Amino acid sequence: MISITDVNDSRLELFTSTPENILAHYYEPEPGLFLAESMKVLERALAAGYEPVSALIEDRCLKAVEELLGDRPDMTVYVAEYDVLKQLTGYNMTGGVLCVMKRKMLPSVESICKGARRIAVLDDVTNPTNVGSIFRNAAALGIDAVLLTTDSCDPLYKRAVRVSMGTVFQVPWTVIGDRKALPDGKRVIWPEQGFEMLKEMGFATVAMALDDRAIGINDKKLRAENKLAILLGSEGYGLKKETIEACDYTVMIPMSNDVDSLNVAAASALAFWELTKNSENAD
């Protein structure tokens, strides 16, 4: 345990000045690191089996964090007063704790979709706030797994994790697309091979998009599907035309007052709520 008083202490670079994309590749080719902020996030990360490396803690929170971490003799803990922490990080640190943790190898698409009835596919959703919100919605509303295309925001970026309230550690997820971190060695190109894979696993695909051919979100045909993959597109342009055309269904949420669409995270909450109804009873 080390007390910190100098805001320029070089030992804190992982917490304060190392970009998150660098952290993610810190041990390449092995999985890298990520930052967990707040007690709730740390608690859920530990429960999911993620290993802490070091922690930066506000002095008033030390006892609670120590109880949560337990006995970890190889772990370094830095402790500082609130004013020092604010200078170090440049913001009010949520919950008085910031923890560097080791990533895990990404699971295969097949492994996290095995037994799943309702999954979400995030296609180029790049905003960490939206990704975190979608994961929180997925955890709360019965989505079994989340797949992300390679251009989507990393769910383990600090803001995404914090906004999700740590539910990124509860909902199974992985990347669908050409990324060397996949453990099975397969190179899946999205969307062509990705759609083939979803079909092989028995999923009907649902594009959430503005389209004249769209059916209502409460259409009985959707509830009758044993397995659904719900596709959500980028914040600016939504799903690509070719992606929409490749889906089995296109679904649109009814709008009023000349509003054409919702934020992708808000749309995900409505879609998950409606499309998970009775899914556990589907034949």
Side-chain angles (χ1 to χ4, degrees):
M1 191 174 300
I2 300 171
S3 179
I4 298 296
T5 56
D6 181 6
V7 296
N8 296 311
D9 196 316
S10 61
R11 292 172 294 184
L12 303 179
E13 288 181 353
L14 289 181
F15 299 98
T16 60
S17 59
T18 305
E20 291 195 75
N21 62 326
I22 300 298
L23 285 177
H25 299 280
Y26 201 76
Y27 297 122
E28 202 166 62
E30 297 299 315
L33 302 169
F34 69 94
L35 293 170
E37 182 184 357
S38 88
M39 290 287 287
K40 176 58 71 175
V41 165
L42 179 57
E43 179 183 0
R44 287 179 169 166
L46 292 170
Y50 287 87
E51 181 183 347
V53 175
S54 59
L56 178 61
I57 303 170
E58 186 181 345
D59 53 2
R60 67 178 179 84
C61 302
L62 179 58
K63 184 178 180 180
V65 175
E66 281 186 312
E67 290 176 354
L68 185 59
L69 290 171
D71 184 25
R72 298 178 186 271
D74 296 330
M75 183 178 175
T76 304
V77 174
Y78 301 98
V79 184
E81 295 180 351
Y82 170 82
D83 290 340
V84 174
L85 285 179
K86 189 172 182 180
Q87 290 183 67
L88 281 167
T89 61
Y91 61 91
N92 295 325
M93 204 164 73
T94 305
V97 58
L98 193 58
C99 188
V100 177
M101 308 192 80
K102 289 185 179 179
R103 290 171 177 260
K104 297 180 181 181
M105 288 292 292
L106 288 173
S108 68
V109 172
E110 294 90 343
S111 67
I112 71 164
C113 291
K114 186 178 181 179
R117 289 184 180 274
R118 298 292 186 263
I119 66 172
V121 181
L122 309 191
D123 190 359
D124 294 358
V125 180
T126 59
N127 184 291
T129 298
N130 284 331
V131 169
S133 296
I134 291 170
F135 266 89
R136 191 172 181 180
N137 294 338
L141 299 172
I143 294 298
D144 299 310
V146 176
L147 305 178
L148 301 102
T149 61
T150 54
D151 289 330
S152 290
C153 171
D154 184 345
L156 294 187
Y157 275 8
K158 178 163 60 70
R159 183 163 181 78
V161 173
R162 186 173 73 240
V163 171
S164 82
M165 291 296 290
T167 55
V168 294
F169 308 120
Q170 296 177 311
V171 180
W173 65 271
T174 195
V175 171
I176 184 167
D178 188 359
R179 181 170 287 191
K180 62 184 177 181
L182 292 174
D184 53 17
K186 293 180 180 178
R187 299 174 72 83
V188 178
I189 305 301
W190 179 263
E192 295 86 352
Q193 291 176 291
F195 271 91
E196 291 178 11
M197 180 180 289
L198 292 172
K199 185 176 181 179
E200 287 173 1
M201 292 187 293
F203 285 96
T205 49
V206 178
M208 300 297 300
L210 301 174
D211 192 286
D212 292 337
R213 298 164 296 173
I215 61 175
I217 196 171
N218 61 347
D219 194 293
K220 292 181 179 180
K221 293 194 293 289
L222 299 173
R223 292 195 192 181
E225 292 286 356
N226 185 40
K227 293 183 174 184
L228 282 180
I230 305 162
L231 278 75
L232 299 154
S234 70
E235 292 83 355
Y237 301 100
L239 293 168
K240 298 180 180 70
K241 181 180 179 181
E242 56 267 30
T243 302
I244 296 171
E245 291 176 348
C247 284
D248 297 305
Y249 301 99
T250 303
V251 172
M252 187 165 56
I253 299 169
M255 299 284 160
S256 301
N257 296 316
D258 295 325
V259 176
D260 61 356
S261 65
L262 296 174
N263 165 273
V264 65
S268 76
L270 291 173
F272 297 165
W273 168 256
E274 187 63 40
L275 298 178
T276 55
K277 287 181 180 179
N278 302 323
S279 64
E280 69 275 8
N281 298 321
D283 294 327

